[in-house]
Amino acid sequence: MTTPDWHDPTLPVADRVSLLLAQMTLEEKVAQLGSRWVRNAMEEAGRTDADPEATHNVAPMQDVFAASGTVSLEDASRHGLGHLTRVYGGIPVTVEEGAAEVIRQQRVVIEGSRLGIPALVHEECLTGFTTYGATVYPAAIAWGATFDPDLIGRMAAAIGRDMAAVGVHQGLSPVLDVVRDYRWGRVEETMGEDPYLVSMLGAAYVRGLQSAGVVATLKHFAGYSAARAARNHGPVPMGRRELMDMILPPFEAAVNLAGAGSVMNSYSDVDGVPAAADPWLLTDVLREQWGFTGTVVSDYWAVPFLATMHRVAADTGEAGVLALTAGIDVELPDTLGYGAALVERVRRGEVAEELVDRAARRLLTHKAELGLLDPDWTPEGSVARAAGTDLDSPANRSLAREMAERSIVLLEAGTALPVLGEDRPPLRQVAVVGPCADDPRTFMGCYAFPNHVLPRHPGLGLGIEVPTVVDALRLELPDVKIVYEQGTGVQGSDRSGFAAAVAAARDSDLCVAVVGDLAGLFGHGTSGEGCDAEDLRLPGVQADLLAELLETGTPVVVVVVSGRPYALGDVHGRAAGLVQAFMPGEEAGPAIAGILSGRIQPGGKLPVQIPRHAGGQPGTYLQPPLGADRTDISNLDPTPLFPFGHGSSYTTFEVGDLAIDAAEVPTDGEFTVSVRVRNTGARAGDEVVQLYLHDRVAQVTRPVKQLTGFARVHLAAGTGAEVRFAVHADRTAFTGRDLERVVEPGEIEIMVGTSAVNLPCRGSVRLTGPLRTVGAGRRLITGVEVIQDAR
C-alpha cells in the first residue's frame, strides 16, 4: 500500500499537516516558526535613491536589531522558513522587481531545504497595500467616520486582490484597537473609540481581505491603545473588566463573525503582564473561549522585547520560550527567539516539543489552505498575475475617492458653507492658507508608503498622483482666483509666513485654512506610530495662525486634516465653517474641495469626539456618570465640543416615531426598536441612525450610553425610511464583579438619534428573569433593517 503523501490535495488539510509533521525533524519544525526580512532598510546601502543621512525606521527599534541582517536568507532557511517579511514593502520596488524578488527568495527557501516547503509572504495593508505605486486609501480613522461596513469591505477586497496578484499571502491588518486617549500617535490607525463600531467595520475588512485569498491579521491584541499618558509601548494600567468590555469585543467579533485567520500581539503590558507572554490572553481567551484556530504572529521584535524592554526574560532565548508557551506561533520579522536556542532547550527537556508541534501545525495549516503544499505550486505561478497589474488602477482610485467623500465630517456649516449656491454672493478671490493645503503627504497615514518608506528616498516623489486642496479648489472654482500662502509648517515655531497669509486673507472674500497633521514614524511626524502628543492643541504654531486669520474680518472656513481630534474650542463660534477630514488618502483634495463647494453632500460622522480644550484628557464618550457628567464636584468640564457620532449635512433630517415592540423581555429574549428617519431638506443625503443603550442600575458602573446599533441611510429629498433594530438581550451583557460576562435583569434605557448627544427618541424595556452568564456564543451584533418609503 502506498503511504499517503502530504502533497496530496485530495486529502483533508489536517491529515496532510499531520503527515508532514511526522516527517519533520525538530529543526525543521522550529524553522517554520521563524521569518526573514531580507530587503529591509538596513540593506539599502547599495541603492542610489536612498538617503544615507535618513534616520526613518519603518519598525520600532529597527536599528537595534540590524545585526539580524547579517544572517543570509540561505542560512536562515536551510531547514525551511515560516514567513518572508515585506518583500514589496521594505524599499521601493516596482511590481516587476518585487515579483522577481519573491521568486528569488522562494527559490532559496525551497531549493535550500530538505522538504522544500514555501514560505508565506506577508505585507502591511492598513491604508492600502503598503508598496511603491499602490493606491493610498484613507487612514483607518476615516473608515470609522464612514459608518459604512459595506464600503470598508469593498475597499479591503480591492486591497486583497492587488496583494494576491503579486504573490502576497498575509496582510498585517486591520487594527482593532479601540481609542482610549486621543493623544496616542496611532489613533489614526484605529477606527474610533467605540467597540461596536470598530467591531462591525473590522469584521467587514476581514471578510473583504480574505475574500481575495489573503489572510487578515488582527492587531494589536490587546490593550495597546490604552497606554499610560498615551505613550507608545507604554504600560497599560487597565483592569480586566475594562479590557474585556472595551478592548476585546472587536477582536472577538472579527474571529467569530468574520473568521479572521491570524492575530498579532500587542507590544504593551496590561497590569504588568506583556501580551506576548500572556497565556490567558493568547490561549485561554483567544482559543479556548473564542475558538480561534489560526496563527498568532508576533509584532515585529515583540519576542526579544520581552527581554530587552519588558525584562520578564533574562535573554532572547528565554523570551522565545515565554512567547511560545503563551501562544505566539510565528516570530516576525526575523528569527531571534525561535531559532537554534529553542531547538537546544527542547533537546534539553526545558521546553515540551508539543509546544513546537502546536505552533508548527497552525502555520502549516495556513500553508496547506493557501495551496503552498500542493505539488504544482511554484514561485513563478504565485506571481503569474503580477505582470500588467496596476496597483493604482482607475477602479482603485474611484473607490478611494468614494471613501474620502463619505468619510469627511462637516462639523458645522456656519455662515459660509457650502461656498456655492443660489443664496451665496459670487466669490472674487479665495485665500487658501495652511500647511496641509498644498502638501499631499498630509492626507496619508503613517503606514501609507509615501510616509512610511519614501522619506528615505526623497528623489522618488510619491509614486502616485495626489492632487492637493489648492489644486482641487482651482478646478472646483474655475471662475475664482485662488491665492495660496502656507503661513507655517505643520511642526515647528516658524511664524515668518504669518504676515503673507494674513494679508492674503484680508484681500479675499473667503479664507480656507487647512491645518492638521503630517504622519510619520517614531517622532518624524505629528501623528503615527511613535508620534504621540502632549496635548490636543494643533501642532506647531498652527493654532496661532488660525487666531490671526480669524481677526482679519474675512470669513474663515477651517478644515482640519488630521489623524486624531484636536481641540477646537477657541475656533468654534468664530469660524465661518468647520470641517474634519481624517487623513482621507490620495483623493482627499477633490473630496475636500467638493465638500466645500457643495457639489458633494457631506455624510461622515465622528468616530471620536472633538474636545473643547487641549488638556481635556483622557476622555472618550464611554464613561460612567462620574466621568461623563459635568458636576460641581470638579471644576473640569468633560463634555466634548462635538460628540461621538456627530456630523452635519447640507440638508436636514428628523428622527422620530420610536416604537418598542415589548415592555418586558426575558434576559434571554429579544426586542425590536424602530424609528422613522426623514429627509426634511431640499437635497438628497445620508444620515446615520444610531441606537444607544444604558443599564440604569447595574452591579458595576456602566457607561451612561453605549452604541448598540447603527445604519447609514441614503434618502432623497422629502423621503423617509423606517429603521428597525433587532436587539437581543445579549447586547446588554457586561463583565460583572466576578469577571463573568452577564445579562442582568432590570431597566434598559433606549436612545435613538443621530449622535451620542442628539437622541430625540427615548424609551425603555425591562429585562426580566434570572441573571444569565453568557460566553462566546452570545449575540455580538444588532440586526438592522431599513425599509425605504415607496416612491
Side-chain angles (χ1 to χ4, degrees), residues 305-317:
F305 282 173
L306 292 174
T308 61
M309 293 176 66
H310 293 293
R311 301 181 188 176
V312 296
D315 52 35
T316 300

Side-chain angles (χ1 to χ4, degrees), residues 291-450:
F292 176 70
T293 59
T295 59
V296 175
V297 299
S298 79
D299 206 341
Y300 283 14
W301 294 300
V303 174
F305 282 173
L306 292 174
T308 61
M309 293 176 66
H310 293 293
R311 301 181 188 176
V312 296
D315 52 35
T316 300
E318 185 179 335
V321 172
L322 286 177
L324 182 67
T325 303
I328 289 184
D329 303 310
V330 180
E331 182 182 8
L332 302 180
D334 278 307
T335 308
L336 298 179
Y338 281 9
L342 179 58
V343 172
E344 288 305 311
R345 287 174 183 262
V346 173
R347 293 209 188 282
R348 293 197 301 263
E350 298 173 12
V351 181
E353 189 168 351
E354 288 79 7
L355 292 177
V356 174
D357 291 350
R358 179 182 73 174
R361 180 180 296 277
R362 293 165 180 165
L363 188 276
L364 291 171
T365 296
H366 267 329
K367 292 188 176 183
E369 292 171 340
L370 291 166
L372 273 69
L373 304 186
D374 292 354
D376 59 351
W377 189 94
T378 64
E380 292 77 9
S382 74
V383 297
R385 290 182 289 152
T389 295
D390 182 357
L391 296 180
D392 192 29
S393 67
N396 284 6
R397 294 197 69 99
S398 176
L399 184 54
R401 181 173 291 201
E402 181 182 359
M403 288 199 61
E405 292 174 353
R406 292 170 77 83
S407 70
I408 294 172
V409 182
L410 177 64
L411 297 176
E412 195 168 77
T415 60
L417 295 179
V419 301
L420 298 182
E422 295 180 357
D423 59 340
R424 298 295 187 194
L427 294 172
R428 172 189 56 87
Q429 178 172 301
V430 172
V432 182
V433 173
C436 299
D438 201 40
D439 184 351
R441 288 181 56 211
T442 62
F443 301 157
M444 307 176 193
C446 73
Y447 271 79
F449 200 81

Side-chain angles (χ1 to χ4, degrees), residues 540-761:
V541 293
Q542 293 180 81
D544 297 336
L545 174 62
L546 286 182
E548 293 198 20
L549 293 172
L550 291 168
E551 291 293 330
T552 63
T554 299
V556 179
V557 172
V558 177
V559 180
V560 182
V561 180
S562 64
R564 64 165 64 84
Y566 284 106
L568 298 178
D570 292 340
V571 175
H572 183 245
R574 302 172 66 199
L578 284 173
V579 174
Q580 174 67 57
F582 289 112
M583 293 182 174
E586 65 181 30
E587 289 288 340
I592 292 170
I595 294 287
L596 296 178
S597 74
R599 173 177 56 83
I600 298 169
Q601 174 71 283
K605 296 284 185 174
L606 289 174
V608 288
Q609 300 186 118
I610 302 294
R612 296 179 185 276
H613 310 295
Q617 279 292 310
T620 73
Y621 90 99
L622 289 166
Q623 300 289 336
L626 287 178
D629 298 339
R630 184 174 184 176
T631 68
D632 58 6
I633 297 172
S634 170
N635 62 308
L636 298 181
D637 181 3
T639 60
L641 180 63
F642 294 102
F644 173 85
H646 169 80
S648 295
S649 175
Y650 296 143
T651 188
T652 55
F653 296 93
E654 289 182 358
V655 179
D657 299 338
L658 173 71
I660 306 169
D661 72 344
E664 293 187 352
V665 176
T667 52
D668 61 353
E670 184 173 286
F671 58 94
T672 298
V673 178
S674 65
V675 296
R676 283 191 53 77
V677 56
R678 302 175 182 87
N679 183 343
T680 56
R683 293 186 57 176
D686 288 7
E687 182 57 277
V688 179
V689 180
Q690 302 164 40
L691 167 69
Y692 295 81
L693 299 183
H694 170 52
D695 192 341
R696 284 182 169 163
V697 179
Q699 60 181 266
V700 297
T701 61
R702 300 289 295 136
V704 296
K705 59 179 73 81
Q706 185 164 358
L707 184 71
T708 308
F710 63 89
R712 182 162 179 152
V713 183
H714 180 78
L715 293 172
T719 68
E722 181 181 4
V723 181
R724 296 177 183 171
F725 297 99
V727 186
H728 194 277
D730 287 357
R731 299 290 293 117
T732 70
F734 62 90
T735 302
R737 291 189 179 185
D738 60 0
L739 296 181
E740 293 287 337
R741 195 179 300 277
V742 296
V743 176
E744 193 174 52
E747 188 175 5
I748 302 297
E749 185 179 7
I750 296 166
M751 299 161 277
V752 186
T754 58
S755 78
V757 168
N758 183 24
L759 297 167
C761 300

Side-chain angles (χ1 to χ4, degrees), residues 26 34 74 102 134 202 231 347 790:
L26 174 61
E74 288 77 6
V102 167
R231 189 170 180 268
R347 293 209 188 282

